[in-house]
Amino acid sequence: MPLDASRSEPRPHRLSAQEARQRLEHARDTRLAQLRALAGTGRTADDGFLAEQKAAVEGVLAEIDAAFARVADGTYGRCEGCGKPVPAERLEILPYTRHCVACRTRTA
C-alpha cells in the first residue's frame, strides 16, 4: 500500500493555466531567493564562480518569464520541438521547460 495515496491516483495530462502560474511563481520566488543569497555571500561580483552562478539563475528566470508568456498565449505545455504535449510529470519538475525529454535530449 503506498504511503502517499495521491501518488497512486492518475494525474491529469495537462495542467490548468492557474496551476501552471502557481508552479511558475514558486519557481521564480525560489530563484529570486537564490539571487539574494548569492548577493549576501560577501563575495565580489568579480569572482568567476559567483558570476557563473548568478548568470545561471538569471537564465532560469528568463525561462520562467518565457513560460509565463506561453501560459498567456495558450502554448504552455506543448513541446517546441515536436509540438506534442509535455508530460505533466515533467512540468511538475521543470514548470518552465520548453521541450519534452526526447526533444531536449536531441538538442542537448
Side-chain angles (χ1 to χ4, degrees):
M1 181 160 153
L3 295 175
D4 183 351
S6 66
R7 292 281 181 202
S8 64
E9 296 172 9
R11 295 224 166 99
H13 294 285
R14 303 247 344 189
L15 296 175
S16 72
Q18 178 62 28
E19 290 171 316
R21 281 195 275 303
Q22 287 174 339
R23 290 176 193 273
L24 291 168
E25 287 168 4
H26 175 73
R28 180 175 51 201
D29 291 345
T30 300
R31 294 324 181 279
L32 290 172
Q34 288 175 332
L35 278 181
R36 286 190 298 273
L38 288 171
T41 63
R43 297 169 79 176
T44 66
D46 296 335
D47 181 334
F49 179 74
L50 180 65
E52 286 179 27
Q53 290 289 314
K54 185 178 176 193
V57 173
E58 288 170 343
V60 172
L61 285 168
E63 288 294 321
I64 291 168
D65 287 342
F68 273 114
R70 291 192 302 276
V71 170
D73 72 15
T75 61
Y76 179 82
R78 288 247 168 237
C79 176
E80 290 183 1
C82 65
K84 294 179 183 175
V86 175
E89 292 82 5
R90 179 157 172 79
L91 292 172
E92 284 180 24
I93 296 166
L94 286 172
Y96 48 87
T97 191
R98 296 173 182 259
H99 299 98
C100 66
V101 172
C103 288
R104 180 65 187 141
T105 301
R106 282 193 292 269
T107 62

